[in-house]
Amino acid sequence: MKLDGIIAFVTVADCGSINEAARQLRLSKSTVSERLTELEHALGTRLLSRNSRQHALTDEGVILLERARRIVAETNEAREDLARRRGEIAGPLRIVAPRAFGDLHLGPILYDFMDRHPDITVTADFDDRISDLSGGFDAIVRIAPDGLPKLATEQLTISRRSLVAAPAYLARYGRPETIADLAHHKAIHYMERGPDDWTFKAEIERVVARVPPRLRVTSCLAMRDAAVAGLGIAWLPTFHSYQAIKSGTLEILDLGLEPDVTPITIAYQHGSPARLRAFVDHVKLAFGDPPDWDEPGTPA
């Protein structure tokens, strides 16, 4: 019974298909199928019932799966421990992250990590539309309150979101003092978030504000720049707006609401390589607590 067959079995069981398992393992579909067949022959039983689309576990497969997962996890942990002892932080790393967050914050940290570990090669896809690890990514950085099924998730830092506007806009249209006042203002909306609504937490309930859009865009950086230009009010994470807030080109609007706080997390497969663990530790340390965009002096 070979280890690569056990790894193939666990991956197919978790993915539900050989195609997806082959993508995650970076192997051909035929290679994954061969490893599964060899494992079944070694055990003398069928582990998966195959059809053209799905691969369901047999009763024997269900019995084996939990033990197989433990074998794979312990093997990966042993590999990581040995790699750390040898000081080996090397090999390919494929990461996906939201575009503007990657450009402004994750990118510089990644470049520093690569400078410290010259044997690391990186593929970094900064794209707001990618939401899972399909395509062979090792890890995905997300700004979302929930995790991804079957993946390990760690919090890197937090994102605080607040309403901001330029002093020139407020001088021209007035400063809103309540949620109801927002109906008389112009909004800069982020198209990828869905409906043009702002949902706030007021004590123990959620309150929805519908503000007429003056501008709708797919870029948070464009939202920030439009707000600085005085086109309207934007609801932005402080990691996008903190420099403009510190310089005075944007002001935070206080409507008596709790700040919107969302975890920034990284999700990855269980038993990921030592280089990914080293990267996660590096990112956490670089962001700090609080992160630099929420340092004292940046209004919350």
Side-chain angles (χ1 to χ4, degrees):
M1 187 167 59
K2 295 181 180 179
L3 179 61
D4 55 10
I6 296 174
I7 293 172
F9 167 65
V10 170
T11 308
V12 172
D14 288 342
C15 295
S17 76
I18 287 183
N19 285 337
E20 179 59 28
R23 278 195 291 269
Q24 291 197 12
L25 294 171
R26 297 173 191 165
L27 298 171
S28 67
K29 180 181 175 182
S30 61
T31 299
V32 175
S33 296
E34 288 171 3
R35 292 181 179 182
L36 282 173
T37 301
E38 287 179 3
L39 179 64
E40 289 178 330
H41 285 166
L43 294 171
T45 187
R46 293 292 297 271
L47 301 173
L48 296 161
S49 59
R50 300 167 174 82
N51 60 39
S52 59
R53 292 183 178 273
Q54 296 294 322
H55 293 74
L57 291 170
T58 63
D59 291 341
E60 290 79 5
V62 172
I63 293 171
L64 177 65
L65 181 58
E66 199 57 41
R67 291 186 178 182
R69 282 190 175 130
R70 289 200 297 269
I71 291 170
V72 173
E74 289 176 3
T75 301
N76 288 333
E77 287 175 7
R79 286 175 176 168
E80 288 191 28
D81 287 343
L82 292 172
R84 288 192 187 100
R85 286 176 179 274
R86 295 191 299 265
E88 292 179 1
I89 304 297
L93 198 58
R94 291 173 53 85
I95 300 166
V96 62
R99 182 183 305 155
F101 182 75
D103 289 339
L104 289 175
H105 300 287
L106 190 63
I109 293 172
L110 175 61
Y111 311 145
D112 179 60
F113 176 74
M114 295 177 69
D115 184 60
R116 292 168 184 252
H117 303 288
D119 293 326
I120 287 282
T121 60
V122 175
T123 300
D125 192 341
F126 295 158
D127 189 334
D128 292 335
R129 292 181 174 86
I130 297 178
S131 59
D132 57 41
L133 290 184
S134 61
F137 293 107
D138 295 303
I140 178 170
V141 176
R142 302 172 71 240
I143 306 172
D146 54 335
L148 292 174
K150 301 179 182 177
L151 296 178
T153 300
E154 291 189 49
Q155 181 170 309
L156 298 175
T157 184
I158 59 170
S159 167
R160 296 180 186 272
R161 193 162 44 172
S162 57
L163 292 173
V164 294
Y169 173 89
L170 298 175
R172 183 175 182 181
Y173 296 101
R175 180 183 295 270
E177 302 291 342
T178 66
I179 292 177
D181 291 344
L182 293 175
H184 307 293
H185 285 266
K186 303 297 183 183
I188 301 166
H189 282 301
Y190 181 57
M191 290 174 61
E192 300 297 330
R193 191 171 291 126
D196 292 336
D197 295 339
W198 289 334
T199 303
F200 306 99
K201 183 178 180 181
E203 296 181 351
I204 61 173
E205 62 180 356
R206 292 281 178 178
V207 180
V208 176
R210 295 182 177 173
V211 189
R214 176 83 190 278
L215 176 66
R216 300 174 73 242
V217 293
T218 59
S219 165
C220 286
L221 295 182
M223 290 176 63
R224 179 199 63 191
D225 294 344
V228 170
L231 295 183
I233 298 173
W235 195 27
L236 281 172
T238 51
F239 64 75
H240 287 317
S241 60
Y242 76 110
Q243 290 179 329
I245 293 169
K246 286 186 175 181
S247 68
T249 55
L250 285 178
E251 296 181 18
I252 289 182
L253 305 181
D254 183 5
L255 304 185
L257 303 168
E258 295 181 27
D260 184 85
V261 179
T262 305
I264 300 177
T265 62
I266 186 165
Y268 51 86
Q269 296 288 349
H270 293 276
S272 291
R275 56 185 174 272
L276 180 58
R277 178 72 263 162
F279 174 70
V280 172
D281 292 342
H282 181 85
V283 172
K284 285 183 175 180
L285 182 62
F287 280 147
D289 185 17
D292 58 2
W293 54 81
D294 281 338
E295 287 179 345
T298 303

